[in-house]
């Protein structure tokens, strides 16, 4: 084995190189254990390469998880909209019996430094021990249909539920690299292996010895959640669904909404107050930056003289009352008109 | 004069309707056939509709990306009917009608989508459609026609109205409507004259009935929500407590005034029609009287009476204006007024809160 030079590899950053070199070293060590010298019969050589492959892939996975904990990744940042995650979970819940995971295409837009995932659809596929079949016709069709609605979305990668990256993933990833340049692979851990739903994104890069077995490595990427304003409001509403035991939620009406919003602000104020009390009584160390924020907060309440404020308040209230009166009058008017016509 | 709100109408209607639970076959074609076998007079009472979170988010996203401006975005709702609930589990958007897509086949797009969704085990049964609205102005002829055709084919279908501007102000505004059975009958017969409407005694409040919406989530989604909340770095913005209201009020009132203008024009037209009708009646009476007088004179002189002429041909009755538009305008005005009242009541609350805050300060 020849340790490849840095400029022969394409990965983007220093620590990834480190990973690679470590990998090669480990693989080297492993190979000296398993491998026959290259001059032996061809069949044996293939076997040894296969063992090496599986060993290195399991090593990759371990190191990958370790890397994700460190989370110092370079490469494009992946911004996900919650609608994508909701669809993924939904399609996972509807999977065929016997299928352990679901895969699908990710649609979105790419930027120089980031990839924004805004939509997705699931693709039927069959997976067994030694082979995987993906319905490519279906994927193409769905993409065409989606393009009609939002022509700016392009295929930027694919997703799979489940914790690990298997060899099948490599094959599927290859297929997707034909559709999109540098596709993103997203895994959503619906089996909740670590008591959390881990959502991770990867991009693939070539690794290995050029000329001999070339492998594919998945480098992790930072995942961020991005919302439109209205999306955030939708998500906030749904957070409240979590609280109710039957997991249901109705949509509240006018004054109740204002009351609940005020309640939320009140909660936050009590938290802040208790923090301040703690500081005053010496339980917690005072933090200057937090103090500055608090100063900002208190100063945000505008200082208006009482008479000015009184007049402003009154004029506003008068406006609103007048509009209410007009609205009521209009409603009475049309009701009257209706009755008159029927006469 | 008290005005009934649409929410209370649901309860009064449900007393008269019978509830029937149906089982549906899986493909849309056989489902429609099954619908045809329904005995007339039995209706399915909708108590509430269950939404899934992804539907809500998809609708929001669709508007955000494609619907900037005052165009409406539309799409199809998919789901199932379970006992007395309509469950909406998925949706897909409709592309906008562009100028160069004259030959774009909507039906084909729908069929393709539904066929593909069937492959991935998503409910592919049509249960309705959704539309975005601009300040609450959705009561229009187009909506009525579409909803009628939907409800005619599938009895429990609803139209989900999503108001993005109100949602951006702080709380999700999603409402589900169906046509009342009375309105369905009228649309079926296409009898929009004043007599027809009087017979059905339908008012603008009886056009749409609102169906309450309940959002239901699975446990997995709850886990996802938990994760999102932890990792989310977006700060909470409290738009709901925003004090600036004049912009929104202005626009709403502007739209209301436009509608009132339409309504007054319509009333003017109806008045002229009534006047013409009564004038014509008068003329008819006069003519008949003159005829009778002449005939009496002739009889007294011994001449044969003039033949009875066909009066209806001479005095053609004026065209009765279609009352449907009036009904729609009245419904729309009602909707605007409701929205305005809601908005002002919220703002009054906020103003009093601001006063309390100032009170502490001074």
């Amino acid at each position: 084995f020849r340790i490849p030079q840095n400029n022969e590899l394409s990965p983007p950053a220093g620590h990834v190189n480190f990973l690679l070199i470590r990998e090669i070293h480990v693989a080297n060590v492993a190979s000296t254990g398993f491998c026959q010298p290259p001059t032996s019969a061809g069949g044996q050589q293939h076997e040894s390469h296969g063992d090496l492959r599986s060993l290195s892939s399991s090593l990759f996975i371990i190191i990958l998880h370790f890397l994700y904990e460190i989370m110092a990744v370079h490469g494009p940042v992946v911004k996900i909209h919650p609608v994508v995650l909701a669809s993924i979970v939904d399609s996972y819940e509807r999977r065929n019996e016997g299928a352990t995971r679901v895969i699908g295409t990710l649609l979105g837009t790419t930027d120089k430094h980031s990839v924004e995932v805004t939509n997705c659809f699931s693709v039927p596929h069959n997976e067994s021990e030694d082979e995987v079949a993906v319905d490519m016709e279906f994927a193409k069709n769905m993409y065409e249909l989606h393009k009609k609605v939002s022509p700016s979305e392009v295929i930027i990668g694919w997703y799979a539920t489940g914790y690990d990256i298997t060899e099948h993933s490599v094959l599927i990833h290859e297929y997707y690299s034909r559709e999109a340049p540098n596709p993103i692979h997203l895994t959503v851990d619906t089996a909740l292996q670590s008591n959390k739903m881990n959502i991770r994104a990867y991009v693939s890069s070539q690794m290995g010895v050029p000329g001999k077995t070339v492998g594919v490595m998945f480098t992790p990427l930072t995942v961020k959640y991005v919302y439109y304003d209205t999306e955030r409001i939708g998500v906030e509403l749904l957070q409240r669904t979590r609280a109710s035991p039957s997991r249901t939620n109705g949509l509240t009406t006018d004054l109740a909404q204002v009351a609940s919003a005020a309640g939320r602000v009140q909660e936050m104020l009590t938290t802040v107050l208790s923090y301040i009390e703690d500081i005053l009584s010496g339980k917690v160390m005072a933090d200057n930056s937090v103090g500055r924020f608090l100063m900002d907060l208190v100063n945000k309440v505008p200082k208006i003289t009482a008479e000015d404020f009184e007049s402003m308040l009154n004029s506003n209230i008068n406006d609103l009352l007048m509009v209410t009166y007009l609205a009521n009058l209009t409603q009475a008017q049309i009701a009257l008109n209706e009755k008159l016509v029927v006469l | 004069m008290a005005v009934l709100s649409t929410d209370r109408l649901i309860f009064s209607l449900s007393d008269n309707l019978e509830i029937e639970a149906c089982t549906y076959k899986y493909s849309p074609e056989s489902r429609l056939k099954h619908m045809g076998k329904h005995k007339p007079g039995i209706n399915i009472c909708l108590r509430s509709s269950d939404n899934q979170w992804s539907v809500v988010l998809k609708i929001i996203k669709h508007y955000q990306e494609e619907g900037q401006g005052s165009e409406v975005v539309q799409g199809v709702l998919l789901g199932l009917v379970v006992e007395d609930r309509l469950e909406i589990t998925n949706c897909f958007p409709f592309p906008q009608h562009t100028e160069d897509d004259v030959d774009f086949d909507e039906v084909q797009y729908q069929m393709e989508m539904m066929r593909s969704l069937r492959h991935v085990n998503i409910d592919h049964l049509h249960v309705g459609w959704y539309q975005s609205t601009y300040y609450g102005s959705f009561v229009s002829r187009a909506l009525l026609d579409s909803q009628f055709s939907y409800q005619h084919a599938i009895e429990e279908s609803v139209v989900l109205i999503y108001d993005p501007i109100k949602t951006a102000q702080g709380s999700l505004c999603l409402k589900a409507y169906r046509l009342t059975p009375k309105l369905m009958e009228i649309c079926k017969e296409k009898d929009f004259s004043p007599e027809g409407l009087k017979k059905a005694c339908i008012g603008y409040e009886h056009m749409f009935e609102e169906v309450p919406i309940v959002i239901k989530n699975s446990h997995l989604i709850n886990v996802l929500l938990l994760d999102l909340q932890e990792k989310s770095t977006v700060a909470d913005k409290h738009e709901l407590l925003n004090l600036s209201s004049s912009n929104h009020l202005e626009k709403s009132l502007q739209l209301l005034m436009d509608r009132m203008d339409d309504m007054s024009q319509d009333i003017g037209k109806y008045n002229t029609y009534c006047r013409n009708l009564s004038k014509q009646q008068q003329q008819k009476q006069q003519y008949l009287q003159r005829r009778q007088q002449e005939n009496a004179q002739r009889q007294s002189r011994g001449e044969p009476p003039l033949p009875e002429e066909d009066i209806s041909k001479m005095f053609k009755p004026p065209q009765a204006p279609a009352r449907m538009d009036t009904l729609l305008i009245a419904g729309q005005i009602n909707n605007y007024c409701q929205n305005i009242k809601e908005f002002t009541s919220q703002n009054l609350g906020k103003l009093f809160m601001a006063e309390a805050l100032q009170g502490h300060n001074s």
Side-chain angles (χ1 to χ4, degrees), chain A residues 93 238 242 247 302 331 338, chain B residues 53 203-204 217-218 229 334:
Chain A
E93 287 175 355
L238 293 147
R242 255 192 313 134
R247 297 174 284 118
Q331 278 185 319
E338 182 129 7
Chain B
W53 184 36
Y204 63 86
N217 281 334
S218 66
Q229 200 174 34
N334 191 30

Side-chain angles (χ1 to χ4, degrees), chain A residues 187-232:
Chain A
T187 55
V188 178
D189 180 18
T190 43
L192 304 173
Q193 263 191 358
S194 58
N195 288 335
K196 264 211 271 191
M197 189 180 279
N198 272 311
I199 299 171
R200 298 176 172 186
Y202 304 93
V203 97
S204 81
S205 38
Q206 296 276 340
M207 58 83 49
V209 183
K212 304 252 176 121
T213 2
V214 180
V216 165
M217 193 193 68
F218 287 94
T219 44
L221 302 168
T222 343
V223 170
K224 275 207 191 130
Y225 299 114
V226 186
Y227 305 80
Y228 296 127
D229 277 338
T230 39
E231 261 184 343
R232 191 167 33 79

Side-chain angles (χ1 to χ4, degrees), chain B residues 262-279:
Chain B
D262 286 341
M263 177 130 221
S264 58
Q265 270 185 355
D266 208 63
I267 291 179
K269 264 190 249 167
Y270 186 68
N271 278 341
T272 41
Y273 160 73
C274 282
R275 243 181 285 134
N276 285 346
L277 196 67
S278 59
K279 232 193 295 178

